[in-house]
Amino acid sequence: GEFTQVFDFIEIPIYLRYSLVNRKFDIEIMGGINAGIIVGNKVFMDDGSGSQNIGKTQDISSLNYSGTLGFGVTYAMGKNLCK
């Protein structure tokens, strides 16, 4: 048979953005962390006649962290654009 692992996550992002240059085109730096919490953990076996839930994956961390760092450029299109 063939095994399939399925994980469901809830992600909680915490990001900060700082404007380096504040002119017609703004240049910004952004960074932060993202916490992922596993809320679903299932393992399925497909034997050709269908999939069957056979349990869950053992010894995995239920909380995962990742980081982000980036640069951006923003431009104001106009005050009356979204009325």
Side-chain angles (χ1 to χ4, degrees):
E2 186 173 307
F3 292 97
T4 304
Q5 296 175 324
V6 178
F7 301 107
D8 298 321
F9 283 91
I10 292 177
E11 294 187 354
I12 303 168
I14 301 172
Y15 294 112
L16 295 174
R17 194 168 65 176
Y18 180 75
S19 181
L20 297 173
V21 176
N22 195 3
R23 295 195 176 132
K24 189 171 185 176
F25 287 95
D26 296 341
I27 299 175
E28 300 173 337
I29 186 170
M30 182 192 77
I33 61 171
N34 188 18
I37 302 168
I38 295 180
V39 294
N41 176 0
K42 296 179 183 176
V43 177
F44 295 94
M45 185 177 77
D46 186 5
D47 60 1
S49 63
S51 291
Q52 180 179 354
N53 185 349
I54 60 169
K56 63 182 185 176
T57 303
Q58 299 293 321
D59 298 329
I60 60 170
S61 176
S62 61
L63 184 60
N64 299 293
Y65 296 103
S66 63
T68 302
L69 180 64
F71 293 93
V73 176
T74 59
Y75 176 74
M77 297 290 288
K79 294 179 184 178
N80 299 323
L81 185 64
C82 296
K83 282 191 172 187

